[in-house]
Amino acid sequence: MPNEHEIRELAYYLWVSEGKPSGQTDRHWQIATKMAAEQKHGSPSPKTSTDPSEAKGTTEPEQPDQT
C-alpha cells in the first residue's frame, strides 16, 4: 500500500497540472491513491508523469500549410 507522502505528492502534482483549482482536493486524492497503488504493484499507468513540465509533444498548435 502506498504511503501518505507518495499520495500527497501525486495529488499535489495533479492539482498543479490542472491549474490549482479549488474544491478538487478529494478528487485529486482519490486519483493519486489509485496512481500510487498502480505504481506499487507494477501495473502500467496511462500517464507515467504528472509533472506538466515533463509533457511530451509540441506545445505550439500546428499551423496550416500556407502553400
Side-chain angles (χ1 to χ4, degrees):
M1 177 163 196
N3 67 44
E4 184 175 335
H5 176 76
E6 293 169 322
I7 296 169
R8 185 178 308 276
E9 188 172 290
L10 285 169
Y12 171 79
Y13 285 121
L14 285 167
W15 175 66
V16 169
S17 73
E18 292 182 6
K20 302 180 182 178
S22 61
Q24 299 297 312
T25 306
D26 291 339
R27 185 176 69 81
H28 290 145
W29 192 266
Q30 290 172 348
I31 294 168
T33 300
K34 183 177 179 182
M35 289 173 66
E38 288 173 352
Q39 288 176 358
K40 283 278 189 196
H41 297 303
S43 299
S45 119
K47 187 174 181 183
T48 57
S49 174
T50 57
D51 186 345
S53 68
E54 295 177 8
K56 293 180 175 61
T58 61
T59 57
E60 297 293 323
E62 193 172 314
Q63 298 296 318
D65 189 8
Q66 299 293 324
T67 59

